[in-house]
Amino acid sequence: MRLGDHMPNLTVTSQNGQFSLSEATFSSWSVVMFHPCAFTSVCSTEMRSIAQLQAEERMPSIRFFSVMPNGADRIAALVKELTADSLFPVLHDCISDPAGELTRAFGLPVAKEDEIGPRGYFIFGPAGVLKSYQILPTVVGFSSTELLRLVSALQLVRHGEMYAPADWQPGHELLSV
């Protein structure tokens, strides 16, 4: 995937059933997060962090999707465990990608059985257009604070009339073109 590309038109399966990913993301800002594997400590912290941001309504207009190379039953068990063990339930769709179809469509390396998959996130604007992405080493989780800052900035500068300077934070001034 490259900046400006559109969300792949694939039917995916999550703990909530099957749906078209491109249709689910077309009318809103969306973040597709790739986690290396279900039930790993870092992935769990990332999912809990997003659940907390959603519960606190710090990202109310953004749809989140987690993607893991595990089967749907394992992912459903993870969501159930994370929700039971936390103050913040995991409400976003967690997509099963054991064959790597979605992972491949995003241009990421596909994990073989019993291997660890890629870690990172892709931010899509309205109409499913890729606005930003970050690929991380499997041993380092992403920062939900930085993700929130980045999406907030992208939403404000999307018409090209303003720029977000270095270290910009929500509520701070933007730069004029």
Side-chain angles (χ1 to χ4, degrees), residues 7 10-26 28-35 38 43 46-48 50-51 54 62-72 74-80 82-83 89-97 102 106 120 122 142:
M7 175 69 73
L10 295 171
T11 299
V12 296
T13 302
S14 78
Q15 80 277 21
N16 299 316
Q18 285 194 332
F19 62 94
S20 165
L21 190 57
S22 60
E23 286 178 20
T25 61
F26 190 80
S28 64
W29 285 83
S30 304
V31 178
V32 179
M33 303 169 291
F34 284 83
H35 306 284
C43 297
E46 290 172 332
M47 292 175 70
R48 282 186 174 121
I50 294 302
Q54 287 184 302
I62 303 165
R63 291 210 51 195
F64 289 93
F65 303 89
S66 286
V67 180
M68 289 168 263
N70 308 95
R74 186 158 170 82
I75 290 173
L78 171 65
V79 170
K80 183 177 180 180
L82 291 176
T83 297
V90 174
L91 301 175
H92 66 276
D93 285 290
C94 298
I95 298 169
S96 170
D97 191 33
L102 185 58
F106 275 74
F122 292 75
F142 61 75

Side-chain angles (χ1 to χ4, degrees), residues 146-169:
E146 173 56 19
L147 180 58
L148 173 62
R149 185 194 80 83
L150 182 55
V151 173
S152 297
L154 287 169
Q155 289 174 328
L156 291 171
V157 303
R158 72 178 181 256
H159 299 297
E161 298 164 0
M162 304 294 280
Y163 294 115
D167 300 320
W168 176 87
Q169 293 296 317

Side-chain angles (χ1 to χ4, degrees), residues 36 42 46 119-120 135-143:
V42 175
E46 290 172 332
R119 178 182 313 285
I135 306 303
L136 297 158
T138 58
V139 296
V140 177
F142 61 75
S143 166

